[in-house]
Amino acid sequence: MDNQESKWVRAFTNIAFIKYWGKANEELMIPMNNSLSLTLDAFYTDTQVHFLTELKQDELYIDGELQDEKSLDKAKVILDLVREQAGIQDHARIESINHVPTAAGLASSASGLAALAGAASLAAGLDLSQTELSRLARRGSGSASRSIYGGFAEWQQGSNDLDSYALPIDDANWDIGMIFIIVDDKRKDISSTEGMRRVVESSPYYEGWVQSTAEDLKEIKVAIAERNFIRIGEIAESSAMKMHALNLSAQPPFNYWSPDSIIAMRKVEELRDSGYPVYFTMDAGPNVKLICKQSQMDEIYELLLKDYRSDQLVRAHPGPGMQVLAGEDLP
Ligand code: PMV
């Protein structure tokens, strides 16, 4: 088919302050609770898609390297939905460039699948609204639904394919930032899908999670509106700990922490005890993310350098929403 529409699309990763941890419908990717995240500028993915008649199967190139079948699973869900909507039969060639600092071990599916939703729909000639893009990205990876937007975004769980999508909450253009503490760059051995399945099926605390998350969400939205940094940090840290407590209470139990994750969390607490308003959050992996005021970020970074190498620390600011690249931004 004609590929005049193929454009490079950039999407930034996001880190949840109120975690998504459980699916009500795995196929449609409907979550058990609303979640809320901050899109960050430090990690992003650039993607271009071509639908080509001569291809025998879909192909995914990341940083120039052809990936195996398995790595295409999530991407295929998005490609199939786009093909169906646009009435296209051709297979696709996806080219992605991941801008993730080396050794970060943070390659997030959020930026990758959001960028793919944008690039694939453009290549197919579909003119999707942000809500439609969020719904499409969601089908590849739930957290990707939030990366359509910059700043704080909330993924409203909804109950079906049409009403489950993210909305922007606040541009976060104020004094908030994050330092990633990379303690380990190994891939997680329990996928988020498997982890979520296990807690929903077996944690006796799951109901409590759903209830308390609704309360946390209400409160953090007020705190964001008031720019109450301390309250935001407290709620975010507590949401992360509750998510990880679900994992410990599942059958069989599991966790994503390494000994160095615990050391990093202690470090954040020490900084807090010494007067810095800093909080941590963690996802489905061992790395720790420190939430801080942007105005204190360099000072805190210097303090962390006493315990970490500079390649273990990444400073991030609130990032923008998904964008079509032009001019000098083109890869
Ligand atoms: O969308 P997934 O499958 O990458 O799951 C994301 C899960 C967490 O990162 C742990 C929480 C979240 O809301 O992003």
Side-chain angles (χ1 to χ4, degrees):
M1 85 173 252
D2 182 2
N3 276 295
Q4 294 310 307
E5 294 296 327
S6 289
K7 301 231 166 71
W8 284 96
V9 172
R10 176 171 296 173
F12 294 79
T13 201
N14 70 73
I15 295 295
F17 281 42
I18 302 293
K19 304 293 181 191
Y20 146 54
W21 202 238
K23 302 187 210 297
N25 181 321
E26 283 199 14
E27 198 211 328
L28 292 178
M29 214 70 104
I30 309 297
M32 293 290 279
N33 59 273
N34 290 23
S35 53
L36 185 145
S37 61
L38 179 61
T39 297
L40 294 153
D41 66 353
F43 309 102
Y44 56 93
T45 307
D46 292 341
T47 295
Q48 186 181 38
V49 172
H50 290 278
F51 288 102
L52 300 166
T53 316
E54 67 264 29
L55 292 180
K56 300 265 182 307
Q57 55 193 23
D58 293 324
E59 293 177 350
L60 168 63
Y61 290 83
I62 298 183
D63 300 330
E65 267 182 48
L66 182 62
Q67 307 293 303
D68 60 18
E69 258 315 92
K70 187 84 196 77
S71 327
L72 256 166
D73 284 356
K74 292 180 174 179
K76 267 209 172 105
V77 176
I78 290 185
L79 291 174
D80 287 343
L81 287 164
V82 166
R83 277 189 283 251
E84 193 187 314
Q85 220 172 319
I88 295 175
Q89 266 87 45
D90 293 344
H91 287 107
R93 175 172 297 149
I94 309 168
E95 291 163 80
S96 271
I97 301 169
N98 262 331
H99 297 264
V100 177
T102 39
L106 286 162
S108 156
S109 51
S111 59
L113 289 147
L116 176 64
S121 55
L122 275 182
L126 296 175
D127 182 18
L128 301 187
S129 66
Q130 288 193 305
T131 295
E132 287 167 322
L133 282 169
S134 177
R135 288 176 43 223
L136 179 60
R138 183 198 86 230
R139 296 291 292 273
S141 178
S143 55
S145 66
R146 302 181 306 236
S147 274
I148 306 302
Y149 300 104
F152 285 106
E154 179 185 356
W155 173 16
Q156 308 199 328
Q157 67 178 124
S159 60
N160 60 57
D161 179 44
L162 285 175
D163 66 3
S164 183
Y165 52 81
L167 288 171
I169 291 291
D170 181 284
D171 63 11
N173 195 7
W174 44 277
D175 198 8
I176 189 161
M178 200 176 268
I179 302 176
F180 289 74
I181 306 176
I182 317 297
V183 298
D184 191 337
D185 62 0
K186 285 185 205 66
R187 284 177 76 94
K188 56 191 173 195
D189 49 12
I190 297 176
S191 69
S192 53
T193 299
E194 171 57 24
M196 290 185 205
R197 195 179 289 150
R198 225 186 266 183
V199 299
V200 173
E201 280 171 7
S202 67
S203 169
Y205 305 150
Y206 202 78
E207 227 180 272
W209 159 261
V210 172
Q211 264 176 27
S212 78
T213 296
E215 286 155 25
D216 287 347
L217 193 90
K218 231 197 225 152
E219 245 206 283
I220 205 168
K221 281 163 77 174
V222 173
I224 289 170
E226 291 171 349
R227 301 188 180 181
N228 183 343
F229 176 84
I230 291 180
R231 209 47 211 128
I232 294 171
E234 286 171 350
I235 298 168
E237 191 173 293
S238 159
S239 175
M241 290 301 91
K242 282 183 266 193
M243 168 196 144
H244 290 275
L246 288 178
N247 303 342
L248 296 176
S249 65
Q251 253 349 298
F254 64 101
N255 67 78
Y256 291 105
W257 299 358
S258 73
D260 288 329
S261 316
I262 297 177
I263 291 171
M265 288 188 273
R266 290 280 175 280
K267 189 77 219 155
V268 177
E269 284 162 6
E270 272 172 34
L271 283 167
R272 190 153 69 216
D273 290 345
S274 70
Y276 290 98
V278 286
Y279 300 87
F280 58 78
T281 185
M282 283 186 67
D283 296 288
N287 297 316
V288 173
K289 294 110 190 181
L290 178 152
I291 303 165
C292 63
K293 293 195 168 182
Q294 237 182 80
S295 54
Q296 293 182 324
M297 184 142 69
D298 290 344
E299 206 175 322
I300 293 163
Y301 178 82
E302 290 301 323
L303 290 170
L304 290 171
L305 278 177
K306 290 188 190 146
D307 297 289
Y308 297 98
R309 301 185 312 270
S310 58
D311 67 333
Q312 290 182 284
L313 301 173
V314 182
R315 283 167 285 190
H317 306 94
M322 196 167 91
Q323 47 197 243
V324 178
L325 300 184
E328 58 186 29
D329 283 337
L330 283 168

